[in-house]
Amino acid sequence: MEDTYKHKGLRRLLVRELRQKGIRDEAVLAAIGAVPRHFFVEKAFDDLVYTDIALPIDCEQTISQPYTVAYQTLLLNVQPQDKILEIGTGSGYQACILVEMQARVFTIERQQALYEQVGALLDTYFQAYKYRLRVFFRDGAKGLAEYAPFNKIIVTAAASTIPQVLCEQLEIGGILIIPVGDPEGEQVMCRITRLSDTEFKKERFDLFRFVPLLEGIQPLPAPPNHWKK
Ligand code: SAH
């Protein structure tokens, strides 16, 4: 796969569209302008990948709409060298946006198939990112205790409540961005700021629709029997 002039041109138009929709943070827009989103979806979606829509990826999951990626990234207030935890690797696109912004990123996925695809994608196209990005196959609802605390945590799946365990993995002054609400309906984008050991501030923003945050892990299915013939 290549990053052609056509793709680069379409990316510039996408950035312009996001700016018109109210995303004014130049660092966020620069990252969206830099990361080739078409590397993260099937070739069949090449004509749609630089329009502002969510697209299907494997395991009945989705790569978030670019506006949503920009919105969450904006709320995260990414600073160079931030240590960020992402729950819900999916395609790996959001994680790469954070790396592009010079953060150090730990991302967790519960679907083994997606976890392995992202590993292969990083090996092929994003070798330089691998110094700043680690991908884990586990249940992200528990966070990543052995690497805590984090400056920032971003959840890219719908939670019915705010997992306390994630709040506890924030450093003082750290922030958690998480869509909270009915996983089958709409969720409110929430920002939790850790003020002290015991105090947290909660702010609410706009409504979004995410795929649900699920429990446990989903290993690859066994190969079908007819492969043995
Ligand atoms: N950030 C992704 C969006 C992926 S959609 C991207 O840029 O493409 C949400 C992802 O969260 C799905 O891949 C889903 O499998 C994953 N997910 C849901 N519950 C999870 C959990 N408990 N732990 C880790 N990942 C989870």
Side-chain angles (χ1 to χ4, degrees), residues 40 57-64 69 72 86-96 107-111 114 136 138-142 154-158 210-217:
F40 298 82
I57 55 174
D58 274 2
C59 309
E60 296 176 356
Q61 303 303 312
T62 55
I63 176 172
S64 302
V69 172
Q72 284 197 289
E86 180 195 28
I87 320 294
T89 313
S91 68
Y93 178 70
Q94 170 76 70
C96 285
T107 182
I108 312 181
E109 174 56 55
R110 67 178 291 282
Q111 291 278 358
L114 294 175
F136 296 81
R138 33 172 121 165
D139 180 357
K142 301 189 178 77
I154 171 173
V155 181
T156 63
F210 282 81
V211 294
L213 185 70
L214 299 174
E215 278 181 26
I217 53 168

